[in-house]
Amino acid sequence: MIKDKIKKIIAFIPMVNFFISNNNSFRTIQFKTWFFQKILGFNRRVYWPVHFTSKVGGYRNVLIDKGTTPGASPGCYIQGIGKIKFGKYIFIAPNVGIITANHDVYDLREHKKSFIEIGDYCWIGMNAVILPGVKLGPHVVVGANSVVKESFKEGFCVIAGNPAKKIKDIDRSKVINFDYSEERIGYMSVEKFEKFKRKHLNKDFF
């Protein structure tokens, strides 16, 4: 009886309730990550969990889906000068760079912006770099230390190397498109994210 009352009281404390309900998600948000980000200010404005050693620039130009947290692994660099669209349940290893803009070789003060799109259920290996304009279809595995400068829109393949080339096809009949009904988009429920998106993110996304 007393335990039930305590649970009801805790449920009214927003942050405690957040971490309790968070356990039902595929991407469990750690208190340490939240504390470094929201209290100490490392990538504070970014709407999804980011490791304190990673850097996200231009979060308004970055659109994520369920179960995807770019930069949650250590040492990543997500450059949102141009636009980036991430699908759902993307795995991103440590030290990954995703670059949407290069300096103009004739005027280094200027950037040439581009758009990067990464499809559902992709896996980007450690130290890989995704360069401006790349589009990856669903279920693309990017090998460690790869530099991806060309698109693989058809998806369902393993790519590796510098520059990255297709080294293996993935059997579409064997992949599992898992989904979690209570999954959040970043720190928000799907319903709250729709309102947030309209108010804060680049309007070109929708």
Side-chain angles (χ1 to χ4, degrees), residues 49-149:
V50 179
H51 193 271
F52 69 92
T53 62
S54 292
K55 173 64 178 176
V56 176
Y59 77 93
R60 294 179 185 272
N61 288 326
V62 181
L63 178 65
I64 67 170
D65 206 334
K66 297 194 303 181
T68 295
T69 52
S73 294
C76 293
Y77 177 52
I78 314 299
Q79 184 212 59
I81 295 176
K83 294 183 296 180
I84 313 174
K85 184 177 181 180
F86 291 95
K88 60 185 177 181
Y89 299 107
I90 295 171
F91 288 70
I92 300 175
N95 301 324
V96 166
I98 300 178
I99 315 298
T100 60
N102 280 324
H103 292 282
D104 187 326
V105 295
Y106 298 104
D107 185 350
L108 299 181
R109 298 169 299 177
E110 300 295 327
H111 278 103
K112 290 186 175 181
K113 302 177 184 179
S114 193
F115 176 47
I116 289 176
E117 186 170 358
I118 301 176
D120 300 340
Y121 306 102
C122 284
W123 170 19
I124 303 175
M126 189 171 183
N127 297 319
V129 178
I130 311 295
L131 293 177
V134 166
K135 291 180 173 57
L136 301 180
H139 293 282
V140 173
V141 177
V142 180
N145 298 305
S146 297
V147 177
V148 185
K149 67 176 186 178

Side-chain angles (χ1 to χ4, degrees), residues 9-23 29-39 49 184 186-188 192:
I9 293 172
I10 288 176
F12 283 102
I13 304 174
M15 284 314 304
V16 175
N17 191 41
F18 170 82
F19 284 105
I20 291 173
S21 61
N22 171 57
N23 290 327
I29 299 171
Q30 301 296 327
F31 177 80
K32 180 180 178 180
T33 300
W34 172 85
F35 183 81
F36 269 86
Q37 187 174 358
K38 299 302 182 182
I39 302 302
R184 290 185 172 87
Y187 283 108
M188 291 165 275
K192 287 184 178 180

